[in-house]
Amino acid sequence: MGDEMWRNQALAPFASLPWQTRGRLHAEPNSPSRSPFQRDRDRIIHSTAFRRLKHKTQVFVYHEGDHYRTRLTHSLEVAQIARTICRVLHLDEDLGEAVALAHDLGHTPFGHAGEEALHAAMKGHGGFDHNAQTLRILTKLEERYAEFNGLNLTWETLEGAVKHNGPLLKQGRTLSQLPAAIVEYCQDHDLELGGHAGPEAQVAALSDDIAYNNHDIDDGLRAGLFEIADLMELPLVGEMFSIVTRKYPGIDQARLIHEAVRRVINAMVEDVLAETRRRLKDAAPKSVADIRALGRPVVAFSEHMAATDRTVKTFLYKRMYEHWRLNRSHSKARRVVAGLFGLLFAEPNCLPSPWRERAEQAETQARARLVADYIAGMTDRYALDEHKRLFDLYE
């Protein structure tokens, strides 16, 4: 076994044990001081794609305010929640954190509006899926290492990045219906798309739900899209605002929001811990393979909290994501992305080097994918500037 310090972690037998990793597509020697999953986490943090998340939209475009969540701050918040849950359950914190930090790398500028526009532009060329784009970034598009493209992450981290929301082959879905990037990679490094991911990836998925629901409430209130009074009928959320108001009469709104939101996050985390312990007790897994073989998630909300989560999501969809102010912003974002794709696909000589050289040599399908890669990698700010440079006659 060797005497590496990372082999002495006190993990549950059903955790993803780093000393039993299925390894990397390109074999590398282990580090004596960092586990394979720690190295994955570090490679993600140091990647170009991760730095770009600083100026990629979560909900609000970058110029709308400095205090709103970006993809970067959201990813850090998801990772913090994931580490907490993994630690309590004696799962591998580094793997949970790595999946959490990587899960949004494939998003376009302008959030889901940008993705919708790029998917529409790529119709007939394989479409666009941010989950598949994350895999492309992690396995191909990052060009940092001398011996391989991508970050050469472990099987477990890549499995988590692709399958953190559950099996991809389900409800009659076939391999031919999946994005090409996922299918192609799995030919060399099978990520077992028909099954659930390990427990750490499941933790990252639930942490994502907890983070974005609560922080969108915070951002929505800050933006004036709805008021605290509008939240009072929501299960759990309204209860926590009432508790804080009673405990701290006269508290200013900023403190009230923070105190209530952190209580909601804590309640959701405690619910995940309780429900997951219950499921673990029933399943009695002896290994991570047992977790994958269960056929259902082991990390989950209770039925009551899942219903609460759905109610909060419905509220946010109606009152925030479909707000007229955001609809205007999203409409502009879709036009920017569609315009960029149309011009750069038709005139690849407008791409900067080395993108131009690659695009001009590529056949139609490959050129479309290359242009999609270029646009998907843009920050909000760069996309707006690039659109202005290409379409404003006075630039």
Side-chain angles (χ1 to χ4, degrees):
M1 292 289 287
D3 59 355
E4 296 97 329
M5 65 176 69
W6 53 266
R7 291 189 186 273
N8 298 319
Q9 298 178 75
L11 297 175
F14 49 79
S16 298
L17 306 176
W19 52 90
Q20 293 180 1
T21 174
R22 299 196 197 183
R24 308 175 189 276
L25 180 60
H26 305 281
E28 296 182 58
N30 279 331
S31 164
S33 55
R34 290 181 299 157
S35 81
F37 302 148
Q38 282 180 281
R39 295 177 77 189
D40 285 358
R41 185 269 320 276
D42 296 346
R43 289 180 181 191
I44 292 163
I45 288 175
H46 289 285
S47 68
T48 303
F50 186 74
R51 290 197 299 277
R52 286 179 182 146
L53 296 181
K54 178 181 179 182
H55 292 296
K56 286 198 174 189
T57 288
Q58 182 68 16
V59 174
F60 297 93
V61 178
Y62 84 96
H63 64 265
E64 294 177 308
D66 289 337
H67 293 163
Y68 297 123
R69 268 77 181 181
T70 64
R71 290 284 172 194
L72 180 62
T73 55
H74 168 70
S75 296
L76 294 173
E77 289 166 341
V78 175
Q80 179 266 325
I81 295 170
R83 285 197 73 99
T84 296
I85 296 173
C86 284
R87 181 173 298 182
V88 174
L89 297 174
H90 301 291
L91 302 174
D92 191 284
E93 292 179 47
D94 300 311
L95 177 56
E97 183 178 22
V99 175
L101 292 173
H103 83 282
D104 268 356
L105 290 179
H107 273 286
T108 65
F110 313 121
H112 291 291
E115 179 172 2
E116 290 167 7
L118 196 51
H119 180 64
M122 285 290 289
K123 188 176 182 181
H125 304 293
F128 181 88
D129 175 84
H130 75 265
N131 210 32
Q133 191 69 13
T134 294
L135 185 65
R136 280 179 65 77
I137 289 167
L138 295 176
T139 61
K140 185 175 291 187
L141 299 182
E142 282 286 327
E143 298 179 346
R144 307 175 60 83
Y145 296 91
E147 297 185 1
F148 47 78
N149 287 331
L151 303 182
N152 198 34
L153 304 181
T154 62
W155 185 93
E156 289 80 4
T157 299
L158 293 175
E159 180 213 28
V162 170
K163 291 162 45 182
H164 60 277
N165 287 324
L168 272 63
L169 298 176
K170 59 183 179 180
Q171 298 172 336
R173 198 179 190 191
T174 63
L175 198 63
S176 63
Q177 296 172 297
L178 298 181
I182 294 175
V183 176
E184 289 168 8
Y185 184 80
C186 287
Q187 290 172 353
D188 297 320
H189 205 197
D190 185 10
L191 299 177
E192 299 176 2
L193 303 176
H196 284 276
E200 291 84 1
Q202 295 181 32
V203 167
L206 264 291
S207 300
D208 185 27
D209 267 4
I210 294 170
Y212 79 69
N213 267 6
N214 286 284
H215 297 141
D216 283 356
I217 288 173
D218 188 0
D219 284 351
L221 288 168
R222 185 188 296 274
L225 301 183
F226 47 82
E227 303 296 331
I228 291 174
D230 299 322
L231 301 172
M232 300 310 290
E233 298 302 315
L234 287 178
L236 184 61
V237 176
E239 176 189 348
M240 293 306 175
F241 272 95
S242 295
I243 288 172
V244 175
T245 301
R246 288 196 301 270
K247 186 173 183 179
Y248 303 103
I251 189 173
D252 67 81
Q253 179 164 305
R255 293 178 192 266
L256 169 59
I257 293 169
H258 175 73
E259 287 289 338
V261 167
R262 76 186 187 95
R263 282 167 167 78
V264 176
I265 292 173
N266 186 66
M268 296 182 85
V269 168
E270 291 299 327
D271 181 88
V272 169
L273 290 171
E275 177 64 16
T276 301
R277 285 177 174 134
R278 186 188 70 76
R279 294 189 179 202
L280 287 169
K281 184 178 179 181
D282 289 345
K286 300 293 191 296
S287 68
V288 68
D290 291 346
I291 296 281
R292 291 192 178 96
L294 285 175
R296 66 169 188 150
V298 72
V299 181
F301 289 129
S302 67
E303 288 185 14
H304 175 74
M305 187 60 76
T308 296
D309 182 61
R310 289 191 295 271
T311 301
V312 173
K313 279 184 171 68
T314 299
F315 173 87
L316 288 171
Y317 185 83
K318 291 179 179 177
R319 299 298 302 273
M320 186 173 184
Y321 311 138
E322 286 294 308
H323 194 282
W324 67 267
R325 281 167 50 195
L326 288 183
N327 284 341
R328 286 186 174 188
S329 178
H330 295 164
S331 175
K332 179 193 247 184
R334 284 190 289 268
R335 281 179 275 124
V336 167
V337 171
L340 286 172
F341 184 91
L343 188 147
L344 294 172
F345 179 69
E347 303 179 49
N349 60 341
C350 291
L351 285 162
S353 296
W355 294 90
R356 172 183 175 172
E357 288 77 11
R358 295 174 182 174
E360 288 180 335
Q361 295 169 13
E363 48 82 24
T364 301
Q365 190 95 337
R367 184 168 80 245
R369 183 59 58 189
L370 189 144
V371 172
D373 287 340
Y374 179 64
I375 294 172
M378 293 179 179
T379 63
D380 294 13
R381 178 169 57 190
Y382 186 83
L384 290 170
D385 288 346
E386 189 78 332
H387 190 271
K388 187 177 181 182
R389 283 189 289 266
L390 289 167
F391 289 92
D392 191 331
L393 294 177
Y394 298 101
E395 276 295 308

